[in-house]
Amino acid sequence: MDKRVLTEITTMCMVYQKNKILVQNRVDPKWPGICFPGGHVENGESFTESVIREVLEETGLTIRAPILCGIKQWQNDDLSRYIVLFYKTDNFDGQIVSSDEGECLWIDKDKLNNYKLAKDFEDMYKIFENDSLSEFFYRKKQGDWIKEFY
């Protein structure tokens, strides 16, 4: 029996220094608002290579030693999966430069809710900040998406 499942894999990274976090104000109408930089894993690329490349492309920063700190995932109606690997690091070089994905800016962690956040970003942020959580899972029950944290 074949157990393989079609899966789309992306990465996202919280770059931080002390009480500041680097966020991106995304302009994509499908998912606008404040979030962390990230994107799709390309063929032949490791997950770590992907997050390093995505942060560089979207922010101008070269990150090192990103730590895998959690995941977000859901299963679509066609049984395919969408997985976001969460990383974080305070090890980086460079100056931030915004990209066509959106403006990049440093904000105080405690002021995050003063901004228009991307859909479900507040829930994702719980995984980045809480060492006792490692997974944010959407489960479909009776046609509704239910959020679960592990």
Side-chain angles (χ1 to χ4, degrees):
M1 174 186 238
D2 190 356
K3 301 263 183 185
R4 292 178 291 177
V5 175
L6 182 62
T7 305
E8 188 170 350
I9 304 172
T10 63
T11 59
M12 181 178 280
C13 188
M14 180 176 78
V15 181
Y16 63 96
Q17 57 181 181
K18 298 180 183 173
N19 70 330
K20 296 215 179 266
I21 52 177
L22 180 66
V23 296
Q24 184 177 58
N25 190 6
R26 291 180 45 88
V27 294
D28 184 344
K30 293 179 186 172
W31 200 56
I34 295 292
C35 71
F36 295 137
H40 288 85
V41 177
E42 294 180 357
N43 278 341
E45 187 175 53
S46 75
F47 300 146
T48 302
E49 289 170 328
S50 171
V51 76
I52 291 169
R53 175 186 52 76
E54 286 288 349
V55 170
L56 178 61
E57 288 176 0
E58 295 182 9
T59 72
L61 298 181
T62 300
I63 62 169
R64 289 178 300 285
I67 304 298
L68 183 64
C69 62
I71 59 173
K72 172 185 168 184
Q73 66 157 322
W74 65 87
Q75 190 164 22
N76 296 303
D77 290 336
D78 66 1
L79 303 183
S80 66
R81 287 205 182 244
Y82 192 100
I83 299 173
V84 185
L85 302 171
F86 294 157
Y87 288 85
K88 60 184 173 181
T89 187
D90 64 352
N91 191 341
F92 62 90
D93 288 321
Q95 299 294 319
I96 61 169
V97 178
S98 298
S99 71
D100 59 357
E101 299 272 343
E103 178 188 9
C104 294
L105 58 151
W106 290 104
I107 64 170
D108 290 330
K109 288 181 180 183
D110 60 355
K111 295 204 166 91
L112 182 62
N113 286 321
N114 293 348
Y115 294 85
K116 180 187 178 294
L117 305 179
K119 182 181 183 213
D120 77 3
F121 181 70
E122 188 172 4
D123 291 315
M124 288 188 282
Y125 187 66
K126 292 175 189 175
I127 304 297
F128 285 97
E129 284 293 291
N130 188 336
D131 290 340
S132 67
L133 294 175
S134 63
E135 184 175 0
F136 172 18
F137 181 63
Y138 275 113
R139 183 182 309 277
K140 205 165 202 182
K141 288 186 179 177
Q142 300 174 341
D144 294 324
W145 289 104
I146 307 300
K147 299 175 189 177
E148 298 176 358
F149 297 89
Y150 299 94

